[in-house]
Amino acid sequence: MKAISKTIVITGSSKGFGKELAKEFLNKGHNVVICSKSSENIDSVSLELKKYDNILPLVIDVQNYDDCKELHYQSIKRFNSVDILINNAATNLNTRQDFLLFNNTDIDTIVETNMIGKNGGVIINVEGSGSRPFDETTGYSIYSSTKAALTSFTNTLRKEYNNTNVHFCTLSPGMMHTDVLWTKNTTSEMEQIFNIFGEYPDIVAKVMVDEILQINENKHLEYLTWSKIISKMMTHVLFNQFKKD
């Protein structure tokens, strides 16, 4: 029996993890809305993914409320529904105001308009450095603070909409080799850690997409689990020992 296609909206999906998620969903036959505030990036990824006819590329700034409404309108117009919203847009150069700008009325309107009463859906907020206790990273004070707030925000929404058919989830992809991780200020010590525990976005996306499509409750998704951390540490130690021998 053929699985029913879903419509997935992914913000910040013109490059990195967001783009790799989009590619995986498209390969599985799902409808995907990609967006970025950079028209140049959207043009580039549209050209790269031109073989797919179930994709809608949009130039959207998620810090602009009217743009967010346009994102919803265009998604519904093209695909008739939004089943999964993945808030992946992030930067370490600003304060992630796309969520902080909304008041309670705005949030209620967005959630109720997009999903409640329309067969439900899934909202996934992508975590990052600072989302979890003792996860602070030097040089990422603003970025980490907003990611911690995002996790708290998601947990609160779970309680506020507990009696609805909308599932609020967090996704922790772990360290990924993207321009958010690798900056001009990356030290040699940080580089060593990144090389041990870091993963490429396409690898993470392949694993996480299958888990995302199976979501039927509020939950936390995590790629870099403790078992993976231990495995990567052991691999690193054994590899260095092998080189010495």
Side-chain angles (χ1 to χ4, degrees):
M1 182 176 178
K2 185 178 180 180
I4 299 175
S5 294
K6 296 183 177 181
T7 297
I8 298 96
V9 176
I10 310 173
T11 67
S13 43
S14 64
K15 59 182 181 178
F17 185 50
K19 184 179 76 171
E20 296 303 330
L21 283 174
K23 289 164 66 174
E24 285 301 312
F25 283 120
L26 289 167
N27 285 334
K28 292 180 179 296
H30 298 284
N31 305 319
V32 177
V33 181
I34 61 171
C35 67
S36 168
K37 65 180 180 181
S38 168
S39 58
E40 182 179 349
N41 287 348
I42 282 295
D43 288 343
S44 177
V45 72
S46 296
L47 184 62
E48 180 181 347
L49 304 177
K50 65 180 181 179
K51 68 177 182 179
Y52 300 100
D53 57 9
N54 53 330
I55 184 173
L56 174 62
L58 297 171
V59 178
I60 295 291
D61 182 356
V62 294
Q63 291 181 311
N64 183 294
Y65 183 53
D66 289 334
D67 273 18
C68 290
K69 291 194 293 184
E70 183 67 14
L71 173 61
H72 170 247
Y73 172 76
Q74 293 295 340
S75 300
I76 297 297
K77 181 180 178 181
R78 173 68 183 275
F79 297 120
N80 298 318
S81 68
V82 175
D83 301 295
I84 301 174
L85 168 63
I86 302 178
N87 290 313
N88 176 68
T91 178
N92 57 352
L93 299 179
N94 61 42
T95 54
R96 192 63 185 273
Q97 294 179 21
D98 43 322
F99 293 107
L100 300 180
L101 285 175
F102 298 139
N103 58 39
N104 290 337
T105 301
D106 292 332
I107 295 169
D108 286 344
T109 301
I110 293 170
V111 173
E112 290 171 4
T113 300
N114 288 2
M115 294 183 171
I116 294 177
K118 296 185 178 181
N119 299 320
V122 177
I123 296 177
I124 301 172
N125 290 326
V126 178
E127 295 185 330
S129 175
S131 294
R132 298 287 153 178
F134 311 108
D135 190 27
E136 298 80 11
T137 302
T138 302
Y140 283 75
S141 57
I142 301 298
Y143 178 88
S144 296
S145 297
T146 57
K147 284 297 187 179
L150 182 61
T151 299
S152 178
F153 174 68
T154 308
N155 292 337
T156 302
L157 285 177
R158 288 173 178 168
K159 294 182 178 180
E160 292 179 350
Y161 292 92
N162 187 49
N163 295 322
T164 72
N165 51 1
V166 180
H167 305 306
F168 294 92
C169 305
T170 49
L171 189 162
S172 175
M175 293 183 186
M176 290 187 298
H177 298 302
T178 68
D179 54 8
V180 173
L181 185 68
W182 293 90
T183 70
K184 60 183 179 181
N185 299 323
T186 300
T187 64
S188 58
E189 291 80 8
M190 294 168 66
E191 183 177 339
Q192 183 178 20
I193 293 174
F194 296 164
N195 285 330
I196 295 173
F197 299 106
E199 191 64 88
Y200 288 96
D202 59 325
I203 302 298
V204 181
K206 287 180 185 298
V207 174
M208 302 315 297
V209 160
D210 286 334
E211 293 192 30
I212 290 170
L213 292 172
Q214 295 174 23
I215 292 175
N216 57 12
E217 61 182 350
N218 296 330
K219 66 187 306 182
H220 172 67
L221 305 177
E222 191 168 28
Y223 177 80
L224 189 58
T225 59
W226 276 109
S227 61
K228 283 192 176 73
I229 291 174
I230 294 172
S231 176
K232 286 177 177 290
M233 289 178 63
M234 291 180 63
T235 299
H236 175 69
V237 171
L238 291 173
F239 179 74
N240 284 340
Q241 186 62 45
F242 177 78
K243 287 198 303 182
K244 291 179 181 178
D245 295 342

